[in-house]
Amino acid sequence: MTAVATEQTIRAVVQEVLAQIGKTNGVATNNGHDKGDWGVFDSVDDAVAAANAAYEQLKRTSLEDRDKAVQIVKDMCFDRAEEWGRKELEETEIGRLDHKIEKLQIIRLVPGREFMKCDAVSGDHGLTVTEYAPFGVLGAITPVTHSLPTLACNFVNMVAAGNTLVVNPHPSGARIACEGVRAFNKAIYEAIGINNLVTIIGKPTIESADEIFKHRGVKVLVVTGGPAVARAALSSNKRAIVAGPGNPPVVVDVCANLEKAAKSIIAGAAYDNNLLCIGEKEVFAVESIFDELLDHVGRNGGYRLNASQIDALTKAAFSPPKEPGGHWMLNRDLVGKDPAVLAKQIGLNVPADTQILFGETDESNPFVPEEQMMPFVPFVRSRSIDHAIEQALEHEHGFKHTSIIHTRNVNNMTKMGRIMETTLFIKNGPCGAGLGLGGEGYLSFSIATPTGEGVTNPLTFTRQRRCTLVDDLRII
Ligand code: NAD
């Protein structure tokens, strides 16, 4: 009797322990043993606890299974890009369907565990290996401009490096982010028996973001967003990797290939209706080629506004600063809208295939200094290349995010590169080339600017650990 009772007790205890870590009878079933709905949680505490439990499981899992989880997210984003892209557009009401779909399809290009490495030093005193280890649970804040793509990209990088993540999405893009999280967790759970590699706050608020910023169970913050959230993360007492705002200027030199420059500016600025943080936001073109450049823009999908139309659009898009020298207030209702919608604001009908609106402004027009995220591009006349670079520097505001030049003059490229000191500096192509889309390099949706990590990748989310063997294992 005693022996049977003991066996039953032990069995019950073992089952409970296995259930806690996500497995019973060799089949994973930890859903129901946490308070979430496949990773979607009401409370930050529960979301962090579940992501921590998943981290403990991931530590014990083979690298092969870790790769499977990452591949599942890439494949699902590709296979369901049309459905999820449409849903993201319906929910956020900003951007373009074709690009919402493409941004999910290209998650395939985000680097995974192939980026991981270890370093070794071998010498008289033996062998020392440096390994790149995970932190644990990372707290991610994602923007409305690319809600599910940023979450999926962060997942690929962070989980490839062995971390798990808890996400506070932008409230206006939370529904699609939660749908993605549920789908990823279910599929991963079926494949490798781990739930909650990514957890998310179902009804996110500034307060829930703040709780994540302060939570002891969150090791590092990874914030992708505008100035307010960048400041909030930087003033928290945790390490923060901040992918902050930009206002990318484009300089066009006298010796540029003007047709190519025009096509590049349109391709970048029209992308998702200019929601990209790297997107071409204002152009400084040298006087002698200014008119010809604008003609090329008009011939390649741009619709040119005259001075009074620009004035009317400016009044619709901004209200004046509250105090002298302050920021113009952006009309959020026009952010990421189609060119036809912007044109309607000023009583204009433009052809359906219009990619951007554009026109000549001076530097004081708020479309130049403000990160407007609309498909209207202001073109400013510059006296010389030096003047254009000076204007670009001023209106990039020291974000050190992205700048672009079109020129065949290597000296001018070098000069601008040195002066701007931006994280991405693109020459003779659209902004996307700086993220491996038509240029060399790899893709990420989080470009860490003020904190200096650059285009994030799995190694960004690691801590170095050194392992030293004294006097042995140097085999040469
Ligand atoms: P946003 O700053 O309004 O919101 C970003 C996220 O921060 C959201 O989840 C939001 O809920 C949260 N948030 C906002 N203020 C906060 C605060 N005080 N405390 C805590 N959380 C807060 O930005 P958005 O409109 O969603 O995205 C566009 C901005 O993000 C642009 O400025 C763009 O340049 C930037 N961005 C940068 C990158 C990059 O890689 N550097 C990528 C995408 C977007």
Side-chain angles (χ1 to χ4, degrees):
M1 259 323 266
T2 315
V4 172
T6 308
E7 194 183 318
Q8 278 174 345
T9 311
I10 292 170
R11 193 183 295 278
V13 170
V14 168
Q15 289 216 334
E16 178 58 24
V17 169
L18 287 175
Q20 291 288 346
I21 63 167
K23 293 185 183 227
T24 61
N25 299 329
V27 181
T29 64
N30 83 340
N31 201 44
H33 285 269
D34 64 46
K35 296 172 187 156
D37 170 18
W38 293 108
V40 181
F41 288 81
D42 293 334
S43 101
V44 168
D45 274 343
D46 292 340
V48 173
N52 259 307
Y55 171 62
E56 291 304 322
Q57 287 177 271
L58 190 62
K59 276 205 288 198
R60 289 189 296 271
T61 298
S62 66
L63 295 177
E64 196 183 338
D65 276 357
R66 201 198 283 183
D67 289 345
K68 271 189 208 158
V70 167
Q71 196 59 42
I72 282 169
V73 169
K74 291 186 174 196
D75 289 347
M76 288 189 107
C77 286
F78 189 81
D79 295 342
R80 298 181 68 172
E82 290 221 20
E83 177 202 346
W84 282 347
R86 186 175 37 74
K87 284 181 172 169
E88 177 146 346
L89 181 61
E90 281 166 8
E91 181 183 4
T92 61
E93 298 180 345
I94 54 173
R96 280 173 49 164
L97 182 59
D98 50 349
H99 298 143
K100 292 278 182 246
I101 293 170
E102 192 175 67
K103 286 194 297 185
L104 286 163
Q105 288 170 331
I106 59 177
I107 294 297
R108 283 190 305 181
L109 305 177
V110 173
R113 212 171 50 78
E114 68 279 7
F115 243 67
M116 301 300 289
K117 60 171 187 172
C118 71
D119 304 323
V121 182
S122 150
D124 286 343
H125 293 296
L127 181 72
T128 288
V129 175
T130 300
E131 302 233 59
Y132 292 78
F135 281 101
V137 178
L138 306 175
I141 308 286
T142 52
V144 67
T145 46
H146 342 283
S147 183
L148 187 53
T150 307
L151 185 150
C153 170
N154 285 172
F155 180 102
V156 168
N157 281 177
M158 294 169 181
V159 174
N163 304 283
T164 60
L165 59 154
V166 54
V167 180
N168 202 67
H170 192 291
S172 306
R175 206 166 59 227
I176 183 63
C178 289
E179 178 166 344
V181 164
R182 277 190 208 98
F184 297 153
N185 278 326
K186 273 187 201 169
I188 291 166
Y189 177 67
E190 273 161 28
I192 66 165
I194 308 181
N195 188 7
N196 296 325
L197 287 182
V198 50
T199 64
I200 188 166
I201 309 306
K203 294 194 176 60
T205 58
I206 298 279
E207 289 71 35
S208 59
D210 200 46
E211 265 187 79
I212 291 174
F213 287 178
K214 296 192 173 119
H215 205 289
R216 287 166 65 94
V218 174
K219 301 299 175 224
V220 173
L221 304 175
V222 184
V223 166
T224 308
V229 70
R231 270 195 305 275
L234 287 170
S235 60
S236 81
N237 59 5
K238 276 196 200 340
R239 173 163 174 220
I241 296 169
V242 177
N247 189 38
V250 184
V251 164
V252 185
D253 197 359
V254 287
C255 58
N257 175 338
L258 296 181
E259 187 181 2
K260 192 174 171 209
K263 286 181 174 167
S264 297
I265 291 165
I266 291 172
Y271 200 89
D272 217 14
N273 285 337
N274 216 345
L275 289 182
L276 296 183
C277 59
I278 59 168
E280 287 81 349
K281 295 291 188 295
E282 66 276 343
V283 180
F284 302 101
V286 180
E287 221 158 24
S288 58
I289 50 89
F290 188 87
D291 293 324
E292 199 185 333
L293 174 69
L294 267 66
D295 288 345
H296 281 293
V297 177
R299 279 200 290 275
N300 286 285
Y303 186 98
R304 186 166 182 171
L305 303 185
N306 63 32
S308 64
Q309 290 164 336
I310 293 175
D311 201 36
L313 182 62
T314 306
K315 288 197 172 85
F318 296 95
S319 24
K322 289 209 170 99
E323 70 264 10
H327 275 286
W328 289 75
M329 309 296 290
L330 192 57
N331 177 358
R332 290 254 148 213
D333 292 343
L334 296 187
V335 166
K337 295 295 189 236
D338 290 342
V341 174
L342 298 188
K344 267 250 153 54
Q345 292 289 315
I346 55 170
L348 256 186
N349 282 319
V350 297
D353 60 352
T354 301
Q355 299 296 301
I356 59 165
L357 307 177
F358 73 104
E360 179 173 358
T361 73
D362 59 28
E363 276 183 88
S364 64
N365 183 296
F367 274 103
V368 176
E370 301 297 335
E371 188 195 20
Q372 79 275 9
M373 296 188 285
M374 293 176 207
F376 169 78
V377 180
F379 283 68
V380 178
R381 229 174 253 269
S382 310
R383 289 189 300 277
S384 63
I385 187 71
D386 287 348
H387 183 215
I389 295 172
E390 200 181 290
Q391 291 169 312
L393 180 67
E394 178 175 347
H395 294 290
E396 211 274 326
H397 305 301
F399 289 136
K400 295 191 170 34
H401 194 300
T402 297
S403 59
I404 298 166
I405 188 169
H406 294 275
T407 182
R408 291 188 177 100
N409 182 324
V410 175
N411 292 338
N412 289 341
M413 291 179 189
T414 311
K415 189 187 292 179
M416 181 162 170
R418 287 189 179 154
I419 289 175
M420 297 299 298
E421 297 185 82
T422 46
T423 307
L424 299 183
F425 179 45
I426 299 135
K427 296 157 291 291
N428 298 332
C431 61
L435 291 181
L437 306 168
E440 295 302 325
Y442 62 90
L443 174 67
S444 174
F445 281 85
S446 296
I447 300 134
T449 38
T451 49
E453 293 81 359
V455 183
T456 55
N457 65 62
L459 287 171
T460 310
F461 307 110
T462 58
R463 47 190 282 266
Q464 292 185 28
R465 291 176 53 195
R466 184 183 277 196
C467 187
T468 302
L469 178 69
V470 181
D471 291 343
D472 263 315
L473 269 188
R474 179 176 165 85
I475 57 166
I476 53 175

